[in-house]
Amino acid sequence: MKAKETYLMGKSVFTVSLVVIGITVLIVYLTGQNDQRTLTSNIYLSLSIIGTALFLFMTYGLYKGMDLRDDFPKFQNLKSGSLMQDVTPDFDAPSFNVEDGIGGIILSVLLWIGMTILIIVLLVFLEAVFWFSLFIILTTLYWLFFRALKLVFSKSIITKGNLGVAAVYALGYTALYLGWIFGVVYVTEILR
């Protein structure tokens, strides 16, 4: 009888990762309220918490022989360059010469109302652009995160049932995935 393989779903792992990052930020914020820690030490603390969680998760997954399945929706119908094809507006702003008197006051109030409506429309457009950008960033992070963990769990054939080997692989991948961020923060601190 063949042993049942254990699979993790990509969306679930990514969602849990976002929750871990959120909890980490909350822990760093709450523990740093009474201390006057620098931004660099907060980054080090956050990366240490995330690194520990990532190491434990990868060690457990490698030890149990887990695999990762991609269940994120596919966006194959989008064509390159078709999304923002004709968005650039081309118009000349009119020039108004407002004179003194009741006519100038009425025209100023009408221009004020018109500009308020225009600003509201632009804010709605910018909000849509913000949410679209956030969606693209999260999708990109998901893809990178999924590919990275897929690579890690491809070694689960070797590490299944062997805690020492699983821990060595997990430590190596944790060092690779977070080590460069520690390096960037360290070099930035030195160059300051």
Side-chain angles (χ1 to χ4, degrees):
M1 182 173 194
K2 189 176 179 182
K4 181 182 170 190
E5 290 189 55
T6 306
Y7 294 106
L8 296 171
M9 293 302 177
K11 281 197 304 191
S12 303
V13 171
F14 186 66
T15 304
V16 169
S17 301
L18 290 179
V19 169
V20 167
I21 290 170
I23 290 172
T24 301
V25 169
L26 188 63
I27 288 172
V28 170
Y29 173 73
L30 291 177
T31 60
Q33 280 186 329
N34 296 333
D35 298 335
Q36 296 298 325
R37 288 193 303 242
T38 63
L39 178 64
T40 305
S41 61
N42 281 339
I43 291 172
Y44 284 143
L45 180 61
S46 299
L47 288 175
S48 299
I49 293 170
I50 291 171
T52 303
L54 184 64
F55 169 74
L56 292 174
F57 171 71
M58 286 191 298
T59 302
Y60 179 77
L62 288 169
Y63 176 71
K64 288 293 188 178
M66 293 183 178
D67 195 13
L68 196 59
R69 292 287 166 117
D70 187 9
D71 61 345
F72 200 70
K74 307 286 186 237
F75 298 104
Q76 297 174 351
N77 294 335
L78 291 177
K79 292 183 177 56
S80 177
S82 66
L83 193 59
M84 302 287 278
Q85 196 167 356
D86 296 318
V87 176
T88 308
D90 187 23
F91 68 93
D92 292 327
S95 174
F96 293 105
N97 188 8
V98 180
E99 297 181 16
D100 294 334
I102 191 74
I105 293 173
I106 293 173
L107 188 57
S108 294
V109 169
L110 290 175
L111 286 174
W112 174 53
I113 292 171
M115 289 305 290
T116 303
I117 292 170
L118 179 66
I119 289 172
I120 290 171
V121 168
L122 288 175
L123 285 175
V124 168
F125 176 73
L126 288 175
E127 181 185 10
V129 168
F130 168 76
W131 287 112
F132 180 73
S133 299
L134 185 64
F135 170 75
I136 294 296
I137 289 170
L138 286 177
T139 304
T140 305
L141 284 175
Y142 171 81
W143 188 82
L144 290 172
F145 187 76
F146 176 78
R147 289 292 170 205
L149 282 179
K150 186 83 169 156
L151 176 70
V152 170
F153 289 135
S154 70
K155 305 294 184 201
S156 65
I157 297 168
I158 301 168
T159 63
K160 185 174 184 177
N162 190 339
L163 186 61
V165 175
V168 168
Y169 271 103
L171 184 62
Y173 281 114
T174 302
L176 283 174
Y177 293 151
L178 292 180
W180 67 273
I181 300 174
F182 275 106
V184 167
V185 173
Y186 179 72
V187 169
T188 303
E189 187 67 24
I190 288 175
L191 294 177
R192 243 196 250 186

